[in-house]
Amino acid sequence: MSRKIFLCAISNISSGHCLEDCRFCTQSVKYGADIERYYHKPVETIVEEARRARECKAVGFCLVTAGKGLDDKTLRFVCKAADAVKKAVPELGLIACNGTANVEQLRILKDHGIENYNHNLETSERYYPNICTTHTWQERFETCENVKKADLMLLTGGIFGMGESDEDRFSMLHSIAELDPISVPLNFYHPHPMLPLENRKMPMEEALDLIRMAGKILGESRIMVAGGREFTFGDEDYRIFEAGADAIVIGDYLTTKGRDPRRDISMLIAHGYEIAENCHDR
Ligand code: SF4
């Protein structure tokens, strides 16, 4: 039987006005990257994106907001967007990704149809102060714990290629394993001239080894290759599935363009993979 691959799409519903200083992120106002910035994407646009994502076989749809975490206004907006998407495209599994959150806020999201919450550890506890000074790694870990307390499914992963050591990579994957997430989004740093990190592309073989290592450490979780797939693997991205990935993000990312999802679907079929019909498919 062929392996099933899960497709997920993301919508940046509130973009680019973040006061945090994450050194990998063009949405921090600190670095002045030339990206689209807006507070609230119109709900009709979000619903339209969700419809298109489902037409392109996505089973998950992630509502992402820039900023350190949920405040009352953002929470209301995410709930409104979730209600509208759930009503229009009920087949999509909804994910929210809105930064730091407490259990009460997460339960409210759940009441509005959010089933999963994505909050990445980004890197190891030791290395985190090198990539962000405005909040702590511990705070990130606690939000992940809150997701579980709120009875939501947890997605947590990180970014490779930000100058971290092999030990940091290993340590991050073990911290993720402690949280036992349903899915682990792995991102490969995509350099931007306005960001302070080194402009370096990770060699493909190194990136494939990291996917293999994640699979070994995180046996039961779904391994998703998210940002940086096109940049790091080019047209050889079929190799990520041989290395153990079983999910990808399709379409555009938060501030960078992705590929036409039809190309990804053709690539998967050409390499003998099936596309999962829903989030809980096995
Ligand atoms: S908190 Fe999120 S949106 Fe803000 S700079 Fe960090 S990664 Fe970017």
Side-chain angles (χ1 to χ4, degrees), residues 101-111 114-117 142-154:
N102 63 37
V103 178
E104 197 192 331
Q105 292 169 324
L106 291 161
R107 287 202 176 119
I108 294 172
L109 289 177
K110 190 167 188 241
D111 290 343
I114 299 289
E115 294 151 6
N116 313 268
Y117 197 81
E142 276 164 24
T143 290
C144 292
E145 291 177 318
N146 291 343
V147 173
K148 305 203 90 175
K149 286 183 198 153
D151 246 343
L152 286 166
M153 283 180 278
L154 172 68

Side-chain angles (χ1 to χ4, degrees), residues 23 53 96 104 108 110 139 180 185 199 201 211 218 223 251-252:
R23 302 178 86 202
E104 197 192 331
I108 294 172
K110 190 167 188 241
E139 195 176 322
D180 191 23
N199 186 349
K201 181 173 175 173
I211 297 171
L218 292 151
I223 303 294
D252 292 341

Side-chain angles (χ1 to χ4, degrees), residues 3-241:
R3 260 176 64 212
K4 284 186 179 157
I5 305 299
F6 294 78
L7 309 186
C8 187
I10 56 184
S11 177
N12 195 356
I13 66 172
S14 177
S15 169
H17 47 74
C18 185
L19 302 176
E20 301 297 293
D21 71 351
C22 308
R23 302 178 86 202
F24 57 84
C25 182
T26 50
Q27 299 201 77
S28 166
V29 292
K30 186 177 157 105
Y31 306 120
D34 179 20
I35 59 159
E36 235 191 301
R37 298 178 198 266
Y38 46 83
Y39 276 97
H40 288 173
K41 184 181 271 182
V43 171
E44 312 78 67
T45 310
I46 299 169
V47 168
E48 195 38 49
E49 287 178 3
R51 277 210 184 90
R52 258 185 279 134
R54 184 60 202 135
E55 279 162 21
C56 294
K57 301 188 182 293
V59 289
F61 189 70
C62 187
L63 302 168
V64 189
T65 51
K68 180 172 174 234
L70 277 171
D71 53 26
D72 290 350
K73 209 169 158 194
T74 309
L75 182 60
R76 275 199 300 276
F77 175 53
V78 179
C79 290
K80 193 172 158 197
D83 287 341
V85 172
K86 205 74 213 167
K87 191 165 168 220
V89 202
E91 318 84 84
L92 279 174
L94 285 188
I95 306 145
C97 179
N98 315 120
T100 305
N102 63 37
V103 178
E104 197 192 331
Q105 292 169 324
L106 291 161
R107 287 202 176 119
I108 294 172
L109 289 177
K110 190 167 188 241
D111 290 343
H112 286 265
I114 299 289
E115 294 151 6
N116 313 268
Y117 197 81
N118 179 200
H119 194 61
N120 291 341
L121 293 183
E122 311 299 16
T123 189
S124 69
E125 183 173 13
R126 186 200 72 88
Y127 194 65
Y128 197 73
N130 295 287
I131 62 154
C132 175
T133 65
T134 47
H135 63 265
T136 64
W137 184 92
Q138 199 52 43
E139 195 176 322
R140 303 193 73 79
F141 195 87
E142 276 164 24
T143 290
C144 292
E145 291 177 318
N146 291 343
V147 173
K148 305 203 90 175
K149 286 183 198 153
D151 246 343
L152 286 166
M153 283 180 278
L154 172 68
L155 285 75
T156 184
I159 310 176
F160 294 122
M162 301 189 292
E164 73 285 349
S165 65
D166 288 347
E167 288 74 31
D168 290 315
R169 293 169 176 180
F170 194 69
S171 163
M172 177 188 81
L173 292 172
H174 277 281
S175 300
I176 292 171
E178 265 180 61
L179 290 161
D180 191 23
I182 180 140
S183 178
V184 182
L186 300 179
N187 298 275
F188 296 89
Y189 178 61
H190 190 155
H192 186 286
M194 298 302 281
L195 294 178
L197 293 175
E198 198 192 339
N199 186 349
R200 177 179 176 267
K201 181 173 175 173
M202 182 181 290
M204 184 169 19
E205 295 304 328
E206 185 180 340
L208 290 168
D209 280 345
L210 287 169
I211 297 171
R212 285 186 201 103
M213 179 160 87
K216 271 192 203 131
I217 296 174
L218 292 151
E220 291 303 301
S221 304
R222 199 173 282 161
I223 303 294
M224 164 182 282
V225 173
R229 173 164 58 98
E230 294 79 355
F231 178 69
T232 309
F233 302 97
D235 282 337
E236 289 184 68
D237 55 344
Y238 62 89
R239 296 183 64 195
I240 65 175
F241 307 109

Side-chain angles (χ1 to χ4, degrees), residues 259-270:
R259 283 193 178 112
D260 183 334
R262 286 172 298 189
R263 176 268 173 203
D264 290 335
I265 293 168
S266 309
M267 174 269 291
L268 287 167
I269 293 168

